[in-house]
Amino acid sequence: MKESQIQSKKIKELEAKGYYVIKLIKTNKNGIPDLIAIPPNSDVEFYEVKAPNGKTSPLQDFRLKELTEHGVKAEVYKPL
């Protein structure tokens, strides 16, 4: 399964739970996760979507850590 297909599946899963989901294409910071998910009446969440055998780059790892240290939920999503 391609990452784009996995992203679509994750977006649908989150939207079914009531999240407002944004797919990021281009930002002012390279390495930012693919998706922003905002649960109803809650804080923002970031998801870096990877294929089952995909790996994050060092820059992506840095951004995930940076977001987490800023108090934001940021994680890598891989399908089972």
Side-chain angles (χ1 to χ4, degrees):
M1 187 180 290
K2 294 181 181 181
E3 280 189 9
S4 60
Q5 294 170 309
I6 296 167
Q7 284 179 3
S8 293
K9 184 177 177 185
K10 183 63 175 175
I11 290 168
K12 288 177 185 174
E13 173 189 312
L14 290 166
E15 288 179 340
K17 294 179 181 179
Y19 284 62
Y20 184 82
V21 182
I22 301 167
K23 163 72 174 108
L24 296 173
I25 308 259
K26 179 101 172 132
T27 70
N28 65 325
K29 294 184 185 287
N30 292 332
I32 288 293
D34 301 310
L35 304 176
I36 297 175
I38 306 168
N41 305 311
S42 190
D43 295 326
V44 66
E45 300 174 8
F46 287 82
Y47 293 92
E48 177 60 42
V49 179
K50 292 292 179 190
N53 60 346
K55 295 184 180 191
T56 54
S57 70
L59 180 56
Q60 289 170 325
D61 291 334
F62 172 80
R63 293 295 184 205
L64 290 164
K65 182 176 183 253
E66 183 179 56
L67 288 164
T68 302
E69 289 175 350
H70 197 67
V72 175
K73 181 179 178 180
E75 62 185 51
V76 176
Y77 171 79
K78 290 184 180 184
L80 300 176

